[in-house]
Amino acid sequence: MSLDGTPQKGTLKMNKVRFVMVGGFLGAGKTTTLARLARHYTDRGRKVGLVTNDQSQDLVDTNSLRAQGFAVEEVAGACFCCRFDDLVAKVGALQEAERPDVILAEPVGSCTDLVATVVQPLKDLYGDRFEVAPYAVLFKPGHGLRILRNEGGGFSPKAAYIFRKQLEEADAIVVNRVDEMDETALTELTNRINDAFPSTPVLRVSAKEGTGFDALTALLEQQGNFGRKVLDIDYDTYAEGEAELGWLNGTVKVVRAIPFAVDALLLDVVARLQTACIDLGEVAHLKAIGLSDVSFGVANLVTSHTQPELSLASHGKVTELDLIVNARVAADPAVLEQRVRETVAAACAALGATATIQTLQSFRPGRPTPTHRYAAAR
């Protein structure tokens, strides 16, 4: 049986593109999950297109996925809900160029209310083009367990409100990073999710290692009338919670006469940023990507109190590198920008390299203004 109780699935309609959107809070592992899903589908002979989403252009996630060889479009400047027409246009561009069987979409990690503003409009207005998969939301244990314990997770109640609302509208909650948890913590976490969202299936996966992915791909193949959990949501609280998480994206050209290790620099930058942000506020997510003609790598940090890690190791050495830094921290974005400037400069100086900032943007996200919002599921 499928999630909504209907007989599980027949043959997918080949005249429609399967639309798979995977949500989740900042640092939940959406990009890693989508990359693994993309490989899963391509290994089975299905063409895949991806759409990323964030508050500005030249995104870490876009560059990371393109560097892995995937066809990627990005919706920039606001979340999918506020750029719905752009989302449809970017999917159309992928359809024109790639003829994909599956579209994988990654929304902004601080957004919610996506069933009412993305899934329902897509089904209603473009149901002849798309077949919408169950809406899976990744659960981030690092902050999520503390939020479900009502400890705040390091964020204000308004930011924690967004986290809870993301889970409330999910067709399935997918606990990620299970490889990093012991059984006691995982059992407590699963029990708390079941208590808070008793009618929602819970899966356990590791996007990094692939554990539990057969269950996730089986869920996403189910057919039925999914995406029907339209939220009762306070947009004032939502907007204020999102605005508390300062946003930064920057690109830096790093040059040294003697080749240097890409992975070591990425980890050093993220570790230094962790220290530099400790007095500012909770880290929702820090990412650093290194791109060159011969290698790429990604390092990230998903909470203030965990260790930086390489989510994609390059194993490369280069003399020139494009370093892209993306940060979401509960901090004043102007102060965050200054810390990033100082930290990147220090990391490159310690390496004996020159660092030239090419672009750097920082701001508080504005109030979400959806293109469409359906008051009830259709």
Side-chain angles (χ1 to χ4, degrees):
M1 298 293 284
S2 67
L3 290 177
D4 64 351
T6 58
Q8 188 172 350
K9 63 168 183 149
T11 304
L12 294 179
K13 299 176 183 178
M14 298 308 292
N15 61 324
K16 293 185 180 182
V17 175
R18 186 76 166 172
F19 183 87
V20 180
M21 184 167 66
V22 178
F25 202 67
L26 300 155
K30 294 187 297 298
T31 306
T32 304
T33 299
L34 262 64
R36 186 173 287 277
L37 285 173
R39 289 191 291 271
H40 166 84
Y41 291 125
T42 56
D43 287 348
R44 286 154 181 79
R46 298 168 76 178
K47 293 185 179 179
V48 178
L50 296 99
V51 184
T52 59
N53 179 213
D54 212 330
Q55 305 289 348
S56 186
Q57 296 178 339
D58 198 27
L59 307 177
V60 169
D61 295 344
T62 304
N63 282 285
S64 175
L65 291 166
R66 283 177 178 163
Q68 295 176 66
F70 300 123
V72 187
E73 294 282 349
E74 66 180 27
V75 174
C79 58
F80 284 152
C81 64
C82 302
R83 293 285 188 273
F84 181 81
D85 292 340
D86 288 351
L87 169 62
V88 174
K90 296 296 186 180
V91 172
L94 286 167
Q95 289 179 287
E96 183 69 23
E98 305 294 333
R99 305 294 184 190
D101 303 299
V102 180
I103 292 289
L104 300 174
E106 177 188 358
V108 175
S110 56
C111 286
T112 187
D113 202 32
L114 292 168
V115 167
T117 61
V118 178
V119 175
Q120 283 294 314
L122 200 67
K123 291 168 68 174
D124 183 43
L125 302 175
Y126 298 96
D128 59 331
R129 289 175 54 187
F130 302 112
E131 187 173 63
V132 179
Y135 178 44
V137 172
L138 296 184
F139 186 97
K140 179 184 181 182
H143 289 128
L145 184 54
R146 286 182 284 162
I147 288 173
L148 291 186
R149 287 172 176 166
N150 294 313
E151 297 172 356
F155 300 115
S156 76
K158 293 176 180 177
Y161 175 83
I162 296 173
F163 188 100
R164 288 180 177 272
K165 284 296 181 181
Q166 289 179 341
L167 301 176
E168 185 180 329
E169 65 178 336
D171 286 319
I173 295 170
V174 183
V175 178
N176 192 22
R177 302 181 182 276
V178 296
D179 55 299
E180 301 170 11
M181 303 181 68
D182 60 43
E183 190 58 37
T184 300
L186 189 54
T187 298
E188 179 191 354
L189 180 53
T190 303
N191 289 339
R192 287 185 179 274
I193 294 172
N194 287 330
D195 288 343
F197 310 99
S199 63
T200 306
V202 179
L203 280 66
R204 300 178 176 186
V205 307
S206 168
K208 185 176 181 180
E209 296 185 355
T211 306
F213 246 70
D214 287 346
L216 177 58
T217 56
L219 174 134
L220 295 175
E221 290 286 352
Q222 290 187 19
Q223 292 188 332
N225 194 9
F226 302 110
R228 297 182 54 82
K229 297 182 181 179
V230 174
L231 296 176
D232 178 9
I233 187 166
D234 182 336
Y235 260 72
D236 290 332
T237 302
Y238 173 17
E240 291 167 13
E242 187 171 28
E244 289 179 2
L245 301 170
W247 188 96
L248 178 141
N249 201 67
T251 305
V252 183
K253 175 67 76 173
V254 181
V255 179
R256 193 177 81 166
I258 303 171
F260 59 90
V262 172
D263 296 341
L265 174 62
L266 297 178
L267 282 172
D268 188 37
V269 167
V270 173
R272 288 173 184 264
L273 283 174
Q274 180 180 28
T275 301
C277 292
I278 201 71
D279 65 327
L280 298 183
E282 180 69 18
V283 170
H285 202 193
L286 293 174
K287 279 188 181 181
I289 181 172
L291 288 169
S292 74
D293 292 337
V294 295
S295 66
F296 73 96
V298 182
N300 60 38
L301 179 75
V302 296
T303 77
S304 294
H305 307 291
T306 53
Q307 294 298 312
E309 64 175 4
L310 283 171
S311 52
L312 280 173
S314 74
H315 305 293
K317 290 189 174 183
V318 299
T319 56
E320 291 189 12
L321 186 74
D322 289 322
L323 171 67
I324 303 172
V325 177
N326 180 256
R328 292 299 300 272
V329 181
D332 183 312
V335 177
L336 177 61
E337 178 178 329
Q338 185 59 35
R339 297 290 175 90
V340 169
R341 288 180 180 273
E342 294 169 354
T343 296
V344 171
C348 291
L351 190 65
T354 60
T356 304
I357 293 178
Q358 298 178 318
T359 62
L360 189 58
Q361 298 174 290
S362 63
F363 52 83
R364 295 190 186 278
R367 182 185 180 86
T369 306
T371 307
H372 307 281
R373 187 177 192 278
Y374 284 51
R378 299 192 180 186

